Amino acid sequence: MSTVLPVLASRLSTAVADAFGAQYGGLDPELRAATKPEFGHFQTNLALRLAKSLGRPPRAIAEQLVAALDLGDLCETPSIAGPGFVNLTLLPAVLAAGVNEPEQFPPSGKRVVVDYSQPNVAKQMHVGHLRSTVIGDALCYVLRYVGDEVIRQNHVGDWGTQFGMLVEQVLFEGLVVESLDIAGLQLLYQRGRKHFDADSNFADRSRARVVLLQSGDPLTLEIWRQMVEVSLIEFDRIYAKLGSPLTRADVVGESAYNDQLPGIVADLAAAGLLTESGGAQCAFLPGFTGRDGSPLPVIVQKSDGGFGYSATDLAAVRHRVADLHADRIIYVVDHRQGLHFQQIFALCRAAGWLPETTPAEHVAFGTVLGKDGKPFKTRDGDTVRLATLLEGAVSRARKLLDERDAPMSEAIRAEVAEAVGVGAIKYADLSNDRINDYVFDLDRMVAMTGNTGPYLQYAHARLTRILAKAHETPGVVSVLEEAAEQRLALLLGGFGDSVVQVAETLQPHRLCTYLYEVASALSAFYETCPVLTSAGEVRTSRIALCAATRRVLQDGLGLLGIAAPDAM
């Protein structure tokens, strides 16, 4: 309804100006979807808001407003409800046009850089990476759908002091890194940490090894590259399992900015933005203070001359604006980094690296909880591996399919189990407002009823089966006589609006809510509007409505990064 709503709003504004004076013509009609069928499709409280200014009863104002309205080509005769709400019901032909002519988005000319996923080398991806990856993928799909050019950036943690320790432990043990997998690297890290804490000589050698790494020592770099490669192989495997489009080409790790860090410090110092504090180079920005009111610095260079992740993030912002020509920058990182990004963006703006016209947004997200309401951990208290989660979800989905005993080949059954299991996890994550914590409950996630991924996937599969049985190419929607089919058509016409909302707010749960409403309206449509047993133009129209609903469910799930199986 993205093309109809602005017209309705404009006509209402014109009617207000004509009836009550031009000074009221700029009042926002605030059109809202009606909450009950008897209230039509849209409702405005204009009359109630005008009542105080005009000093008249709102219902009398509503009557005068309706008399001045010119909506005969779009709506049934407007009605008035309660104290003065004006209800608008779109004509069936307008509803049909919204279904038959889905909105197309031309290129926006905007380039958006999205930073997400961000796993760490030598460590297995865990449940925290699930949120960043799933949310980031969905936002990239949505932004591209509305016409933006999207550049993915996977800011992998592949640099820093821990790699000095890791390389030194490799040399101490005489290991061949290429013979290890990601689990072996993580065990290596654990052994290295214990060694570092217990042996001061080893700790000193590790610190010296960091300097060798940063200065380009060939042996140190070679061992480091091998660790990175082992890690990237595992990341690629997880992304493939997750159905994420992230590739090696999207990886721009912390190491990529290493050579730029001295220049970052020099430029900030030249701009008068750095102050020495305890031997470190710090930026003290107005408005950032600790709990005790003391200034809260951004440490750009440490007292030992090393650089932390603040310097790397500053270099990344400058690169994305100056070299990638970003018009918008998005960071999908958990909520605990909120203050950090506020400071980084403020310092970049002060340095002139981030223009005021270029939005930089931190897409924060909450924590995944266990059923006990605490951060999701294994029984041993370790962080849950992402690979384990995905395997468990696929296994649970396979069991669900086996219980249903749906007729399909073994290969198709395995493929559908993968789509349903992974889709269930993704949808459960995305359907919650991202800033909130949520409980990881696999039984609820794979349920075939309620607001779940499998429920939407099954609705899509059911439509596919109906269309296959119809044995005809879908035409156009032309007959919308029943309330249930009008409700479904109204929702389908709002797909573009829903996607635009996500692109603007960066809140994927809005699209999930919309798709669930579509699937629920489809269920009501099934109950009251026979499709294959109807006849003539009604049958043709309902088949077209089914095809349009299938397309919206498929496209919508696709924007969430979720597969839509043809059979379940």
Side-chain angles (χ1 to χ4, degrees), residues 132-161:
S132 181
T133 307
V134 168
I135 294 169
D137 277 342
L139 294 180
C140 288
Y141 287 132
V142 164
L143 291 166
R144 182 165 291 171
Y145 187 87
V146 299
D148 294 339
E149 179 188 358
V150 176
I151 299 177
R152 294 176 169 86
Q153 297 276 275
N154 191 353
H155 193 76
V156 169
D158 63 353
W159 204 246
T161 56

PDB file of all heavy atoms in Angstrom, residues 132-161:
ATOM      1  N   SER A 132      25.174 -11.604  15.489  1.00  0.00           N
ATOM      2  CA  SER A 132      25.771 -10.620  14.590  1.00  0.00           C
ATOM      3  C   SER A 132      25.647 -11.052  13.141  1.00  0.00           C
ATOM      4  O   SER A 132      25.307 -10.246  12.262  1.00  0.00           O
ATOM      5  CB  SER A 132      27.240 -10.410  14.946  1.00  0.00           C
ATOM      6  OG  SER A 132      27.823  -9.446  14.101  1.00  0.00           O
ATOM      7  N   THR A 133      25.887 -12.336  12.866  1.00  0.00           N
ATOM      8  CA  THR A 133      25.866 -12.816  11.489  1.00  0.00           C
ATOM      9  C   THR A 133      24.458 -12.823  10.912  1.00  0.00           C
ATOM     10  O   THR A 133      24.219 -12.364   9.787  1.00  0.00           O
ATOM     11  CB  THR A 133      26.471 -14.229  11.406  1.00  0.00           C
ATOM     12  OG1 THR A 133      27.769 -14.230  12.014  1.00  0.00           O
ATOM     13  CG2 THR A 133      26.597 -14.685   9.962  1.00  0.00           C
ATOM     14  N   VAL A 134      23.513 -13.327  11.676  1.00  0.00           N
ATOM     15  CA  VAL A 134      22.131 -13.437  11.194  1.00  0.00           C
ATOM     16  C   VAL A 134      21.504 -12.057  11.000  1.00  0.00           C
ATOM     17  O   VAL A 134      20.855 -11.791   9.978  1.00  0.00           O
ATOM     18  CB  VAL A 134      21.297 -14.295  12.177  1.00  0.00           C
ATOM     19  CG1 VAL A 134      19.813 -14.178  11.879  1.00  0.00           C
ATOM     20  CG2 VAL A 134      21.732 -15.748  12.110  1.00  0.00           C
ATOM     21  N   ILE A 135      21.702 -11.169  11.968  1.00  0.00           N
ATOM     22  CA  ILE A 135      21.155  -9.810  11.851  1.00  0.00           C
ATOM     23  C   ILE A 135      21.846  -9.076  10.700  1.00  0.00           C
ATOM     24  O   ILE A 135      21.196  -8.409   9.890  1.00  0.00           O
ATOM     25  CB  ILE A 135      21.324  -9.044  13.171  1.00  0.00           C
ATOM     26  CG1 ILE A 135      20.474  -9.679  14.275  1.00  0.00           C
ATOM     27  CG2 ILE A 135      20.935  -7.573  12.997  1.00  0.00           C
ATOM     28  CD1 ILE A 135      20.778  -9.153  15.666  1.00  0.00           C
ATOM     29  N   GLY A 136      23.163  -9.199  10.624  1.00  0.00           N
ATOM     30  CA  GLY A 136      23.910  -8.521   9.561  1.00  0.00           C
ATOM     31  C   GLY A 136      23.497  -8.981   8.178  1.00  0.00           C
ATOM     32  O   GLY A 136      23.296  -8.161   7.276  1.00  0.00           O
ATOM     33  N   ASP A 137      23.348 -10.295   8.008  1.00  0.00           N
ATOM     34  CA  ASP A 137      22.912 -10.817   6.710  1.00  0.00           C
ATOM     35  C   ASP A 137      21.554 -10.238   6.324  1.00  0.00           C
ATOM     36  O   ASP A 137      21.342  -9.799   5.183  1.00  0.00           O
ATOM     37  CB  ASP A 137      22.820 -12.347   6.753  1.00  0.00           C
ATOM     38  CG  ASP A 137      24.158 -13.031   6.535  1.00  0.00           C
ATOM     39  OD1 ASP A 137      25.085 -12.388   6.022  1.00  0.00           O
ATOM     40  OD2 ASP A 137      24.271 -14.239   6.861  1.00  0.00           O
ATOM     41  N   ALA A 138      20.606 -10.260   7.272  1.00  0.00           N
ATOM     42  CA  ALA A 138      19.253  -9.768   6.979  1.00  0.00           C
ATOM     43  C   ALA A 138      19.274  -8.296   6.577  1.00  0.00           C
ATOM     44  O   ALA A 138      18.602  -7.898   5.606  1.00  0.00           O
ATOM     45  CB  ALA A 138      18.345  -9.977   8.197  1.00  0.00           C
ATOM     46  N   LEU A 139      20.043  -7.500   7.281  1.00  0.00           N
ATOM     47  CA  LEU A 139      20.107  -6.077   6.951  1.00  0.00           C
ATOM     48  C   LEU A 139      20.724  -5.859   5.575  1.00  0.00           C
ATOM     49  O   LEU A 139      20.267  -5.001   4.808  1.00  0.00           O
ATOM     50  CB  LEU A 139      20.899  -5.320   8.016  1.00  0.00           C
ATOM     51  CG  LEU A 139      20.262  -5.273   9.411  1.00  0.00           C
ATOM     52  CD1 LEU A 139      21.146  -4.500  10.372  1.00  0.00           C
ATOM     53  CD2 LEU A 139      18.862  -4.652   9.356  1.00  0.00           C
ATOM     54  N   CYS A 140      21.745  -6.637   5.239  1.00  0.00           N
ATOM     55  CA  CYS A 140      22.356  -6.515   3.905  1.00  0.00           C
ATOM     56  C   CYS A 140      21.347  -6.862   2.812  1.00  0.00           C
ATOM     57  O   CYS A 140      21.254  -6.157   1.798  1.00  0.00           O
ATOM     58  CB  CYS A 140      23.582  -7.418   3.797  1.00  0.00           C
ATOM     59  SG  CYS A 140      25.016  -6.843   4.737  1.00  0.00           S
ATOM     60  N   TYR A 141      20.597  -7.938   3.011  1.00  0.00           N
ATOM     61  CA  TYR A 141      19.589  -8.332   2.018  1.00  0.00           C
ATOM     62  C   TYR A 141      18.524  -7.245   1.852  1.00  0.00           C
ATOM     63  O   TYR A 141      18.122  -6.906   0.731  1.00  0.00           O
ATOM     64  CB  TYR A 141      18.906  -9.633   2.442  1.00  0.00           C
ATOM     65  CG  TYR A 141      19.744 -10.887   2.301  1.00  0.00           C
ATOM     66  CD1 TYR A 141      19.838 -11.796   3.349  1.00  0.00           C
ATOM     67  CD2 TYR A 141      20.421 -11.178   1.117  1.00  0.00           C
ATOM     68  CE1 TYR A 141      20.600 -12.951   3.225  1.00  0.00           C
ATOM     69  CE2 TYR A 141      21.178 -12.327   0.993  1.00  0.00           C
ATOM     70  CZ  TYR A 141      21.258 -13.214   2.050  1.00  0.00           C
ATOM     71  OH  TYR A 141      22.007 -14.363   1.928  1.00  0.00           O
ATOM     72  N   VAL A 142      18.072  -6.707   2.970  1.00  0.00           N
ATOM     73  CA  VAL A 142      17.006  -5.697   2.942  1.00  0.00           C
ATOM     74  C   VAL A 142      17.497  -4.415   2.261  1.00  0.00           C
ATOM     75  O   VAL A 142      16.804  -3.837   1.411  1.00  0.00           O
ATOM     76  CB  VAL A 142      16.504  -5.408   4.370  1.00  0.00           C
ATOM     77  CG1 VAL A 142      15.706  -4.109   4.414  1.00  0.00           C
ATOM     78  CG2 VAL A 142      15.656  -6.562   4.874  1.00  0.00           C
ATOM     79  N   LEU A 143      18.681  -3.958   2.643  1.00  0.00           N
ATOM     80  CA  LEU A 143      19.207  -2.722   2.066  1.00  0.00           C
ATOM     81  C   LEU A 143      19.426  -2.855   0.568  1.00  0.00           C
ATOM     82  O   LEU A 143      19.157  -1.930  -0.202  1.00  0.00           O
ATOM     83  CB  LEU A 143      20.514  -2.343   2.769  1.00  0.00           C
ATOM     84  CG  LEU A 143      20.350  -1.906   4.235  1.00  0.00           C
ATOM     85  CD1 LEU A 143      21.689  -1.888   4.940  1.00  0.00           C
ATOM     86  CD2 LEU A 143      19.685  -0.539   4.314  1.00  0.00           C
ATOM     87  N   ARG A 144      19.884  -4.020   0.138  1.00  0.00           N
ATOM     88  CA  ARG A 144      20.062  -4.242  -1.300  1.00  0.00           C
ATOM     89  C   ARG A 144      18.710  -4.271  -2.006  1.00  0.00           C
ATOM     90  O   ARG A 144      18.568  -3.769  -3.116  1.00  0.00           O
ATOM     91  CB  ARG A 144      20.825  -5.549  -1.525  1.00  0.00           C
ATOM     92  CG  ARG A 144      21.113  -5.847  -2.987  1.00  0.00           C
ATOM     93  CD  ARG A 144      22.162  -6.927  -3.110  1.00  0.00           C
ATOM     94  NE  ARG A 144      23.465  -6.435  -2.668  1.00  0.00           N
ATOM     95  CZ  ARG A 144      24.534  -7.212  -2.504  1.00  0.00           C
ATOM     96  NH1 ARG A 144      24.441  -8.510  -2.720  1.00  0.00           N
ATOM     97  NH2 ARG A 144      25.680  -6.693  -2.119  1.00  0.00           N
ATOM     98  N   TYR A 145      17.698  -4.846  -1.350  1.00  0.00           N
ATOM     99  CA  TYR A 145      16.362  -4.940  -1.945  1.00  0.00           C
ATOM    100  C   TYR A 145      15.774  -3.556  -2.211  1.00  0.00           C
ATOM    101  O   TYR A 145      15.106  -3.341  -3.226  1.00  0.00           O
ATOM    102  CB  TYR A 145      15.443  -5.729  -1.015  1.00  0.00           C
ATOM    103  CG  TYR A 145      14.080  -6.033  -1.584  1.00  0.00           C
ATOM    104  CD1 TYR A 145      13.874  -7.164  -2.368  1.00  0.00           C
ATOM    105  CD2 TYR A 145      12.994  -5.195  -1.338  1.00  0.00           C
ATOM    106  CE1 TYR A 145      12.622  -7.452  -2.892  1.00  0.00           C
ATOM    107  CE2 TYR A 145      11.747  -5.469  -1.859  1.00  0.00           C
ATOM    108  CZ  TYR A 145      11.562  -6.597  -2.641  1.00  0.00           C
ATOM    109  OH  TYR A 145      10.321  -6.869  -3.161  1.00  0.00           O
ATOM    110  N   VAL A 146      16.026  -2.604  -1.311  1.00  0.00           N
ATOM    111  CA  VAL A 146      15.450  -1.260  -1.481  1.00  0.00           C
ATOM    112  C   VAL A 146      16.325  -0.374  -2.363  1.00  0.00           C
ATOM    113  O   VAL A 146      16.047   0.822  -2.499  1.00  0.00           O
ATOM    114  CB  VAL A 146      15.188  -0.568  -0.130  1.00  0.00           C
ATOM    115  CG1 VAL A 146      14.199  -1.370   0.702  1.00  0.00           C
ATOM    116  CG2 VAL A 146      16.478  -0.332   0.643  1.00  0.00           C
ATOM    117  N   GLY A 147      17.372  -0.949  -2.955  1.00  0.00           N
ATOM    118  CA  GLY A 147      18.130  -0.221  -3.971  1.00  0.00           C
ATOM    119  C   GLY A 147      19.506   0.270  -3.573  1.00  0.00           C
ATOM    120  O   GLY A 147      20.200   0.885  -4.381  1.00  0.00           O
ATOM    121  N   ASP A 148      19.919   0.017  -2.328  1.00  0.00           N
ATOM    122  CA  ASP A 148      21.247   0.455  -1.907  1.00  0.00           C
ATOM    123  C   ASP A 148      22.325  -0.494  -2.430  1.00  0.00           C
ATOM    124  O   ASP A 148      22.079  -1.690  -2.607  1.00  0.00           O
ATOM    125  CB  ASP A 148      21.347   0.502  -0.373  1.00  0.00           C
ATOM    126  CG  ASP A 148      20.454   1.557   0.247  1.00  0.00           C
ATOM    127  OD1 ASP A 148      20.065   2.497  -0.475  1.00  0.00           O
ATOM    128  OD2 ASP A 148      20.141   1.449   1.445  1.00  0.00           O
ATOM    129  N   GLU A 149      23.509   0.050  -2.630  1.00  0.00           N
ATOM    130  CA  GLU A 149      24.674  -0.792  -2.897  1.00  0.00           C
ATOM    131  C   GLU A 149      25.268  -1.157  -1.547  1.00  0.00           C
ATOM    132  O   GLU A 149      25.559  -0.290  -0.730  1.00  0.00           O
ATOM    133  CB  GLU A 149      25.717  -0.049  -3.736  1.00  0.00           C
ATOM    134  CG  GLU A 149      26.961  -0.866  -4.014  1.00  0.00           C
ATOM    135  CD  GLU A 149      28.066  -0.070  -4.681  1.00  0.00           C
ATOM    136  OE1 GLU A 149      27.854   1.128  -4.960  1.00  0.00           O
ATOM    137  OE2 GLU A 149      29.151  -0.646  -4.888  1.00  0.00           O
ATOM    138  N   VAL A 150      25.451  -2.450  -1.300  1.00  0.00           N
ATOM    139  CA  VAL A 150      25.883  -2.913   0.011  1.00  0.00           C
ATOM    140  C   VAL A 150      27.281  -3.516  -0.072  1.00  0.00           C
ATOM    141  O   VAL A 150      27.563  -4.343  -0.949  1.00  0.00           O
ATOM    142  CB  VAL A 150      24.901  -3.963   0.575  1.00  0.00           C
ATOM    143  CG1 VAL A 150      25.413  -4.524   1.902  1.00  0.00           C
ATOM    144  CG2 VAL A 150      23.520  -3.339   0.770  1.00  0.00           C
ATOM    145  N   ILE A 151      28.142  -3.092   0.840  1.00  0.00           N
ATOM    146  CA  ILE A 151      29.484  -3.658   0.956  1.00  0.00           C
ATOM    147  C   ILE A 151      29.592  -4.319   2.324  1.00  0.00           C
ATOM    148  O   ILE A 151      29.490  -3.662   3.363  1.00  0.00           O
ATOM    149  CB  ILE A 151      30.575  -2.584   0.806  1.00  0.00           C
ATOM    150  CG1 ILE A 151      30.484  -1.929  -0.580  1.00  0.00           C
ATOM    151  CG2 ILE A 151      31.959  -3.185   1.028  1.00  0.00           C
ATOM    152  CD1 ILE A 151      31.490  -0.809  -0.792  1.00  0.00           C
ATOM    153  N   ARG A 152      29.781  -5.635   2.326  1.00  0.00           N
ATOM    154  CA  ARG A 152      29.942  -6.378   3.580  1.00  0.00           C
ATOM    155  C   ARG A 152      31.392  -6.280   4.052  1.00  0.00           C
ATOM    156  O   ARG A 152      32.317  -6.373   3.243  1.00  0.00           O
ATOM    157  CB  ARG A 152      29.565  -7.849   3.388  1.00  0.00           C
ATOM    158  CG  ARG A 152      28.097  -8.089   3.072  1.00  0.00           C
ATOM    159  CD  ARG A 152      27.860  -9.576   2.816  1.00  0.00           C
ATOM    160  NE  ARG A 152      26.442  -9.905   2.758  1.00  0.00           N
ATOM    161  CZ  ARG A 152      25.694  -9.819   1.660  1.00  0.00           C
ATOM    162  NH1 ARG A 152      26.268  -9.444   0.522  1.00  0.00           N
ATOM    163  NH2 ARG A 152      24.411 -10.124   1.684  1.00  0.00           N
ATOM    164  N   GLN A 153      31.567  -6.119   5.359  1.00  0.00           N
ATOM    165  CA  GLN A 153      32.904  -6.084   5.947  1.00  0.00           C
ATOM    166  C   GLN A 153      32.914  -7.001   7.169  1.00  0.00           C
ATOM    167  O   GLN A 153      32.188  -6.767   8.144  1.00  0.00           O
ATOM    168  CB  GLN A 153      33.277  -4.657   6.380  1.00  0.00           C
ATOM    169  CG  GLN A 153      33.342  -3.663   5.232  1.00  0.00           C
ATOM    170  CD  GLN A 153      34.689  -3.682   4.524  1.00  0.00           C
ATOM    171  OE1 GLN A 153      35.644  -3.035   4.930  1.00  0.00           O
ATOM    172  NE2 GLN A 153      34.754  -4.443   3.444  1.00  0.00           N
ATOM    173  N   ASN A 154      33.724  -8.050   7.098  1.00  0.00           N
ATOM    174  CA  ASN A 154      33.851  -8.990   8.206  1.00  0.00           C
ATOM    175  C   ASN A 154      35.147  -8.660   8.943  1.00  0.00           C
ATOM    176  O   ASN A 154      36.240  -9.049   8.526  1.00  0.00           O
ATOM    177  CB  ASN A 154      33.858 -10.427   7.678  1.00  0.00           C
ATOM    178  CG  ASN A 154      33.711 -11.451   8.792  1.00  0.00           C
ATOM    179  OD1 ASN A 154      33.720 -11.117   9.968  1.00  0.00           O
ATOM    180  ND2 ASN A 154      33.594 -12.720   8.413  1.00  0.00           N
ATOM    181  N   HIS A 155      35.026  -7.907  10.025  1.00  0.00           N
ATOM    182  CA  HIS A 155      36.173  -7.368  10.764  1.00  0.00           C
ATOM    183  C   HIS A 155      36.727  -8.461  11.689  1.00  0.00           C
ATOM    184  O   HIS A 155      36.555  -8.428  12.904  1.00  0.00           O
ATOM    185  CB  HIS A 155      35.714  -6.139  11.553  1.00  0.00           C
ATOM    186  CG  HIS A 155      36.820  -5.297  12.103  1.00  0.00           C
ATOM    187  ND1 HIS A 155      37.561  -4.438  11.332  1.00  0.00           N
ATOM    188  CD2 HIS A 155      37.296  -5.163  13.367  1.00  0.00           C
ATOM    189  CE1 HIS A 155      38.436  -3.798  12.086  1.00  0.00           C
ATOM    190  NE2 HIS A 155      38.310  -4.228  13.334  1.00  0.00           N
ATOM    191  N   VAL A 156      37.400  -9.432  11.104  1.00  0.00           N
ATOM    192  CA  VAL A 156      37.908 -10.588  11.843  1.00  0.00           C
ATOM    193  C   VAL A 156      39.012 -10.178  12.813  1.00  0.00           C
ATOM    194  O   VAL A 156      39.886  -9.371  12.475  1.00  0.00           O
ATOM    195  CB  VAL A 156      38.436 -11.649  10.844  1.00  0.00           C
ATOM    196  CG1 VAL A 156      39.206 -12.749  11.560  1.00  0.00           C
ATOM    197  CG2 VAL A 156      37.275 -12.244  10.053  1.00  0.00           C
ATOM    198  N   GLY A 157      38.973 -10.733  14.028  1.00  0.00           N
ATOM    199  CA  GLY A 157      40.009 -10.468  15.023  1.00  0.00           C
ATOM    200  C   GLY A 157      41.246 -11.304  14.743  1.00  0.00           C
ATOM    201  O   GLY A 157      41.329 -12.461  15.176  1.00  0.00           O
ATOM    202  N   ASP A 158      42.180 -10.744  13.980  1.00  0.00           N
ATOM    203  CA  ASP A 158      43.354 -11.517  13.561  1.00  0.00           C
ATOM    204  C   ASP A 158      44.665 -10.823  13.927  1.00  0.00           C
ATOM    205  O   ASP A 158      45.709 -11.080  13.318  1.00  0.00           O
ATOM    206  CB  ASP A 158      43.311 -11.754  12.042  1.00  0.00           C
ATOM    207  CG  ASP A 158      43.388 -10.461  11.239  1.00  0.00           C
ATOM    208  OD1 ASP A 158      43.346  -9.368  11.847  1.00  0.00           O
ATOM    209  OD2 ASP A 158      43.491 -10.533  10.002  1.00  0.00           O
ATOM    210  N   TRP A 159      44.632  -9.932  14.922  1.00  0.00           N
ATOM    211  CA  TRP A 159      45.835  -9.162  15.265  1.00  0.00           C
ATOM    212  C   TRP A 159      45.816  -8.877  16.750  1.00  0.00           C
ATOM    213  O   TRP A 159      44.784  -8.984  17.405  1.00  0.00           O
ATOM    214  CB  TRP A 159      45.850  -7.859  14.467  1.00  0.00           C
ATOM    215  CG  TRP A 159      47.207  -7.246  14.247  1.00  0.00           C
ATOM    216  CD1 TRP A 159      47.666  -6.064  14.750  1.00  0.00           C
ATOM    217  CD2 TRP A 159      48.260  -7.767  13.434  1.00  0.00           C
ATOM    218  NE1 TRP A 159      48.944  -5.816  14.309  1.00  0.00           N
ATOM    219  CE2 TRP A 159      49.338  -6.844  13.492  1.00  0.00           C
ATOM    220  CE3 TRP A 159      48.416  -8.923  12.676  1.00  0.00           C
ATOM    221  CZ2 TRP A 159      50.532  -7.043  12.828  1.00  0.00           C
ATOM    222  CZ3 TRP A 159      49.605  -9.133  11.997  1.00  0.00           C
ATOM    223  CH2 TRP A 159      50.652  -8.198  12.068  1.00  0.00           C
ATOM    224  N   GLY A 160      46.955  -8.561  17.319  1.00  0.00           N
ATOM    225  CA  GLY A 160      46.997  -8.187  18.723  1.00  0.00           C
ATOM    226  C   GLY A 160      47.977  -9.020  19.525  1.00  0.00           C
ATOM    227  O   GLY A 160      48.633  -9.933  19.015  1.00  0.00           O
ATOM    228  N   THR A 161      48.038  -8.713  20.801  1.00  0.00           N
ATOM    229  CA  THR A 161      49.054  -9.300  21.677  1.00  0.00           C
ATOM    230  C   THR A 161      48.918 -10.823  21.813  1.00  0.00           C
ATOM    231  O   THR A 161      49.921 -11.511  22.013  1.00  0.00           O
ATOM    232  CB  THR A 161      48.976  -8.661  23.071  1.00  0.00           C
ATOM    233  OG1 THR A 161      47.646  -8.806  23.581  1.00  0.00           O
ATOM    234  CG2 THR A 161      49.308  -7.178  23.014  1.00  0.00           C
TER     235      THR A 161
END
